């Protein structure tokens, strides 16, 4: 933003004598709900690798909620924007830059942090987790969320992100941020199913996404598995 | 939220000795984009009253941006949630409680306020402006926005709210928060047109909203104007 220019000496004096420390202290954090897809080899060699939907969480090393899992994030520094703070967190935990993110909602319950008044601006980020080089954090299956001990109100934030993701994949292309560059329609359908939490009919699914993808001319080569056509996302994410 | 219980004496000591003042001071504000509809008598007595789409703004009495117009809002107090802060602002300026609001986005550019680092959580609120008893604020025509001197980044916030409102009226019922309890289809169409910034075809519009409204059995009685059927919103806003 452009630097503000005081209109007169009086205003300049007012701004110079303004004491931020005179107010009650509120802290602002950015917390990131980072979703990714990961592939793990199937136990049955005749079946293709299984895709799963993951969330990146951090084990807390300090009070409060020591040893619980929390969303990656932290206090917003005085000289960084919310997006700077988010991108710094994502870079630190995954090694990735330019990750797709959108602001989710800001959480401001009075007692949500026992240390002090903390207002958290939550973001949702989507990536292909196999591109990530995870440091000081861990991927968890979305299915396992109910069994995890989650700190603060972060479970509520995660549930809101999941609801938003479910809504948005129906009218946007954001799901492709979580796909490898090339994929089979089966892979893509699986990711939709994981997000929506229900199986989809293959024929109907193909119609839904037909306009968004294009055939690469290649075939997938999973051992012991019938080869499938390989596609790529046709649009661009601008 | 439930009160947090420290897990042990060590954690209790940690929390008791935690000093919020030790950190850089960040302030959080809530700013409200309050849209309303208002009716003004037409200059031509053969025409029905004209509806207009309005936004509520406050003339700043203090530095910075003294004498410019700004969104109603202010610093979030230590013991109030974001929604408490929003509702306090709305009550102070309009006398209204239980106004429909939704969180828009949080704005965190580093230099958006020359006094100190201020992060603003913006909301959009919708009401029938004839119900409001405006104090210390003023309604402005949306059409006049480009000619107004707007403080901070509030013009950007307003434009985002307008874009969201345009998007949401197509798939939700929120527009009825801005209508009087009873209205003609012409009134409703006019409000849609004001929000969308373009004329709509009456027949197509009727089909779009047919399921959402019901006939009251009454007729509008504008002098010199052909009477129209009067409708009400059929759903409820839960």
């Amino acid at each position: 933003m452009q630097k503000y220019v005081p209109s007169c000496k009086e205003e300049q004096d007012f701004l110079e004598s303004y004491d931020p420390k005179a107010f009650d202290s509120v802290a602002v954090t950015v917390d990131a709900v980072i979703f990714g897809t990961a592939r793990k080899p199937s136990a049955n060699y005749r079946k293709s690798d299984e895709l799963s939907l993951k969330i990146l969480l951090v084990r807390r090393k300090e009070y409060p909620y020591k040893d619980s899992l929390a969303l990656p994030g932290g206090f917003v520094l005085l000289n960084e924007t919310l997006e700077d703070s988010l991108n710094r967190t994502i870079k630190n935990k995954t090694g990735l830059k330019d990750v797709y993110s959108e602001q989710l909602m800001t959480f401001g319950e009075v007692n949500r942090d026992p240390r002090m008044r903390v207002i958290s601006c939550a973001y949702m980020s989507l990536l292909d987790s196999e591109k990530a080089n995870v440091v000081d954090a861990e991927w968890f299956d979305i299915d396992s969320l109910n069994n995890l001990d989650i700190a603060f109100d972060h479970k509520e934030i995660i549930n809101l992100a999941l609801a938003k993701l479910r809504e948005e994949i129906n009218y946007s292309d954001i799901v492709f941020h979580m796909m490898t560059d090339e994929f089979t329609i089966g892979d893509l359908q699986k990711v939709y199913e994981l997000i929506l939490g229900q199986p989809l009919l293959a024929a109907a699914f193909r119609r839904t996404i037909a306009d968004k993808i294009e055939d690469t001319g290649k075939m997938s080569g999973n051992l012991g598995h019938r080869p499938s056509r390989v596609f790529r996302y046709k649009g661009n994410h601008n």
Side-chain angles (χ1 to χ4, degrees), chain A:
Chain A
M1 257 179 98
Q2 236 175 324
K3 196 163 161 46
Y4 181 80
V5 180
S7 59
C8 59
K9 181 71 171 62
E10 189 182 87
E11 176 165 18
Q12 192 179 339
D13 292 345
F14 165 84
L15 290 174
E16 279 168 9
S17 65
Y18 197 89
D19 178 18
K21 291 268 178 197
F23 298 93
D24 289 329
S25 285
V26 173
V28 176
T29 55
V30 160
D31 289 308
V33 182
I34 304 176
F35 292 126
T37 52
R39 190 179 293 276
K40 58 178 174 212
S42 168
N44 180 342
Y45 80 98
R46 289 193 175 277
K47 291 208 168 161
S48 60
D49 299 342
E50 277 171 29
L51 268 171
S52 57
L53 181 60
K54 305 271 193 185
I55 180 169
L56 195 67
L57 298 172
V58 174
R59 182 81 61 187
R60 286 185 57 79
K61 298 191 189 88
E62 284 163 30
Y63 299 124
Y65 296 102
K66 196 174 163 183
D67 301 323
S68 296
L69 293 162
L71 295 171
F75 293 98
V76 176
L77 305 179
L78 213 52
N79 61 352
E80 67 181 358
T81 65
L82 301 171
E83 289 73 21
D84 289 343
S85 181
L86 172 75
N87 291 329
R88 177 169 56 83
T89 295
I90 293 175
K91 180 77 165 47
N92 284 344
K93 300 297 178 198
T94 69
L96 298 175
K97 287 195 292 186
D98 304 321
V99 168
Y100 174 78
S101 302
E102 51 182 81
Q103 208 185 88
L104 202 55
M105 192 171 140
T106 296
F107 289 75
E109 287 298 308
V110 172
N111 296 315
R112 52 183 300 284
D113 191 312
R115 289 169 293 187
M116 64 182 290
R117 180 71 192 277
V118 178
I119 292 170
S120 170
C121 184
Y123 282 80
M124 174 172 77
S125 303
L126 305 180
L127 50 85
D128 165 11
S129 65
E130 282 165 21
K131 288 186 185 154
N133 180 19
V134 168
V135 174
D136 202 21
E138 199 183 332
W139 290 107
F140 291 86
D141 261 20
I142 288 293
D143 297 342
S144 69
L145 266 182
N146 285 332
N147 306 320
L148 303 177
D149 173 24
I150 311 262
F152 305 105
D153 51 0
H154 290 188
K155 179 94 95 178
E156 189 189 337
I157 299 177
I158 295 166
N159 285 332
L160 186 78
L162 274 170
K164 189 168 196 202
L165 181 58
R166 270 181 206 122
E167 201 183 298
E168 289 194 16
I169 61 164
N170 289 319
Y171 63 82
S172 81
D173 290 0
I174 59 171
V175 72
F176 295 102
H177 293 290
M178 305 171 78
M179 302 303 295
T180 46
D181 294 341
E182 302 189 339
F183 48 82
T184 65
I185 290 190
D187 289 341
L188 188 59
Q189 180 171 339
K190 181 72 186 171
V191 173
Y192 268 81
E193 289 176 341
L194 287 165
I195 292 169
L196 297 172
Q198 59 182 45
L200 299 171
L201 291 171
F205 179 73
R206 275 167 192 264
R207 273 196 304 276
T208 314
I209 47 95
D211 286 347
K212 300 182 177 180
I213 60 176
E214 63 190 3
D215 199 328
T216 62
K218 303 179 198 166
M219 300 296 280
S220 72
N222 263 343
L223 262 179
H225 186 68
R226 207 180 67 179
S228 305
R229 288 178 185 282
V230 172
F231 291 81
R232 69 168 82 89
Y233 174 50
K234 209 164 71 176
N236 57 41
H237 286 299
N238 291 328

